[in-house]
DNA sequence: AGATGGATTTTC
DNA sequence: AAAATCCATCTC
C-alpha cells in the first residue's frame, strides 16, 4: 500500500488494514500473511499511546510522516510493529497484533522455537515480529521503500470485522475502554479471540 | 501464577 | 542514581 493509505484518520486505517497482507522479503526469502488483528493509538490525549507523555527521543517516530514504521521493544524482549498514520507532527499509529501466515511457514517456525501449533506462530504482536524477523532495524523505514510492506487485498465486509477495547491498556484511565481494536471475526490467529 | 528482560521515564 | 513502568510471551 502507498503512503497515502496511511494518511487518513487512524481508526479508518486500522479498520481497512484488517484483511490486507503483510509481506517481508529479505534476499530470496519471503514471508507473508493476512493481517487479522490491529489496534489504533492516536494523539497525546490517548493515555495508552506512547506519545501521551509528549514528544521525546523515543516517541519522535510517532510524529513522522504516515507510512513510516514505529518499532519498539516491549518488556525488554519482544518487538512490536506499528505503522504511523494521519500526518506529520501528529502522533498516531496502528499496531499490528496478529496475522494469519500464508507464505514462508518454515522460516517462521524456525524463528519461533516455542510455537507448537501454527496458530501460535503469529498470534500476537511479539510473536509475529519474531516470526517475520522484524526488529529495531526496521524502525523508521518507510513502507514504500522497505523489505517490509503491505499488499492490497479485497476489502472485508463489515460483518466480518470485530471491534472492541484494546489489549493490555488497563493503566490508561478513561482511554482504556475505547473500542479501537479490530480483528477478523472468528479467525483462529487472533491473539485474544474474546471480543 | 511467576519469571523474564532492557530501554524509557519518573522519583528520590 | 535508583526505582517504577511497560501496546508480551513462555514455562511451570
Amino acid at each position: 500500500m502507498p503512503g497515502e493509505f496511511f494518511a487518513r484518520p487512524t481508526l479508518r486505517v486500522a479498520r481497512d488494514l484488517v484483511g490486507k497482507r503483510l509481506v517481508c522479503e529479505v534476499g530470496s526469502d519471503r514471508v507473508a500473511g493476512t493481517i487479522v488483528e490491529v489496534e489504533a493509538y492516536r494523539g497525546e490525549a490517548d493515555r495508552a499511546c506512547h506519545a501521551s507523555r509528549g514528544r521525546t527521543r523515543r516517541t519522535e517516530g510517532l510524529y513522522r510522516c504516515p507510512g513510516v514504521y514505529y518499532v519498539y521493544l516491549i518488556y525488554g524482549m519482544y518487538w512490536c510493529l506499528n505503522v504511523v498514520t494521519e500526518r506529520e507532527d501528529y502522533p498516531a499509529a496502528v499496531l499490528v497484533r496478529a496475522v494469519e501466515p500464508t507464505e514462508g511457514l518454515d522460516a517462521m517456525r524456525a524463528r519461533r522455537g516455542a510455537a507448537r501449533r501454527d496458530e501460535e506462530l503469529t498470534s500476537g504482536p511479539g510473536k509475529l515480529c519474531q516470526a517475520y524477523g522484524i526488529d529495531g532495524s526496521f524502525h523508521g523505514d518507510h513502507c514504500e521503500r522497505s523489505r517490509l510492506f503491505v499488499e492490497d487485498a479485497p476489502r472485508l465486509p463489515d460483518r466480518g470485522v470485530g471491534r472492541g477495547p484494546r489489549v493490555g491498556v488497563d493503566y490508561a484511565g478513561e482511554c482504556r475502554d475505547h473500542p479501537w481494536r479490530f480483528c477478523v471475526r472468528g479467525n483462529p490467529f487472533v491473539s485474544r479471540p474474546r471480543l
Side-chain angles (χ1 to χ4, degrees), chain A residues 57-73:
Chain A
R57 179 142 75 261
R58 182 200 195 194
T59 62
E60 175 63 28
L62 286 171
Y63 294 79
R64 306 261 319 264
C65 72
V68 167
Y69 297 128
Y70 178 77
V71 182
Y72 69 91
L73 192 63

Side-chain angles (χ1 to χ4, degrees), chain A residues 153-171:
Chain A
R155 180 187 172 80
L156 294 177
D158 282 343
R159 67 176 182 283
V161 179
R163 180 174 177 174
R166 296 170 293 183
V167 173
V169 297
D170 287 347
Y171 60 89

Side-chain angles (χ1 to χ4, degrees), chain A residues 9-171:
Chain A
T10 308
L11 289 181
R12 237 195 283 278
V13 175
R15 159 65 179 83
D16 293 346
L17 221 36
V18 176
K20 303 240 181 289
R21 260 191 291 284
L22 183 67
V23 184
C24 191
E25 286 177 341
V26 174
S28 60
D29 206 47
R30 177 179 158 111
V31 296
T34 305
I35 297 171
V36 298
E37 182 185 354
V38 300
E39 286 175 356
Y41 291 85
R42 180 177 182 271
E44 294 179 351
D46 176 5
R47 291 181 53 193
C49 181
H50 285 173
S52 62
R53 305 221 183 110
R55 194 165 180 161
T56 66
R57 179 142 75 261
R58 182 200 195 194
T59 62
E60 175 63 28
L62 286 171
Y63 294 79
R64 306 261 319 264
C65 72
V68 167
Y69 297 128
Y70 178 77
V71 182
Y72 69 91
L73 192 63
I74 183 77
Y75 299 118
M77 271 174 284
Y78 301 101
W79 296 100
C80 289
L81 169 69
N82 298 253
V83 190
V84 175
T85 58
E86 307 253 356
R87 63 177 191 274
E88 190 165 17
D89 292 325
Y90 181 82
V94 174
L95 168 69
V96 182
R97 284 194 57 90
V99 309
E100 174 171 347
T102 55
E103 294 176 59
L105 283 277
D106 286 340
M108 291 187 186
R109 291 189 194 100
R111 281 188 283 254
R112 290 271 306 127
R116 310 225 154 97
R117 306 172 304 130
D118 284 352
E119 287 78 9
E120 295 167 15
L121 285 175
T122 53
S123 55
K127 296 179 191 176
L128 79 88
C129 283
Q130 190 172 49
Y132 273 69
I134 296 170
D135 58 21
S137 69
F138 289 83
H139 181 68
D141 275 10
H142 189 280
C143 63
E144 293 177 16
R145 304 176 268 290
S146 179
R147 302 159 279 171
L148 179 68
F149 51 93
V150 177
E151 275 184 356
D152 203 1
R155 180 187 172 80
L156 294 177
D158 282 343
R159 67 176 182 283
V161 179
R163 180 174 177 174
R166 296 170 293 183
V167 173
V169 297
D170 287 347
Y171 60 89

